[in-house]
């Protein structure tokens, strides 16, 4: 798993990351799980500016997964599945 927010974590922003690819976004470095898992509420993944976007690709199971207990989640401006 690349990034996981679970347990008692709330109100986080995940921005400007490369998950499953190298920092340049040119080579796959995927993992056996997923890219980003949100198991809790009130998170933002990405953003409206170019530096806020996450690149999520080449992971085995999923790019971004929002769990059933999560609400008030914003996902915007990301690049997914560019492998």
């Amino acid at each position: 798993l690349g990034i996981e927010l679970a347990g008692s974590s709330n109100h986080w922003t995940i921005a400007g990351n490369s998950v499953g690819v190298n920092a340049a976004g040119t080579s796959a470095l995927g993992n056996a799980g997923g890219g980003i898992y949100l198991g809790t509420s009130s998170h933002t993944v990405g953003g409206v500016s170019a530096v806020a976007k996450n690149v999520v690709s080449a992971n085995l199971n999923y790019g971004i997964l929002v769990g059933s207990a999560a609400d008030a989640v914003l996902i915007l401006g990301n690049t997914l599945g560019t492998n």
Side-chain angles (χ1 to χ4, degrees):
L1 183 60
I3 298 172
E4 177 180 14
L5 297 179
S8 61
S9 64
N10 289 306
H11 303 283
W12 285 90
T13 297
I14 300 171
N17 296 283
S18 297
V19 181
V21 294
N22 66 0
T26 57
S27 293
L29 300 173
N31 57 66
I36 299 173
Y37 173 72
L38 306 170
T40 56
S41 299
S42 302
H43 303 298
T44 300
V45 180
V48 295
S49 71
V51 297
K53 82 171 187 174
N54 298 288
V55 177
V56 184
S57 186
N59 298 292
L60 183 61
N61 288 324
Y62 54 82
I64 299 174
L65 176 63
V66 179
S68 61
D71 61 6
V73 172
L74 295 174
I75 300 172
L76 60 158
N78 299 288
T79 302
L80 306 173
T82 59
N83 55 337

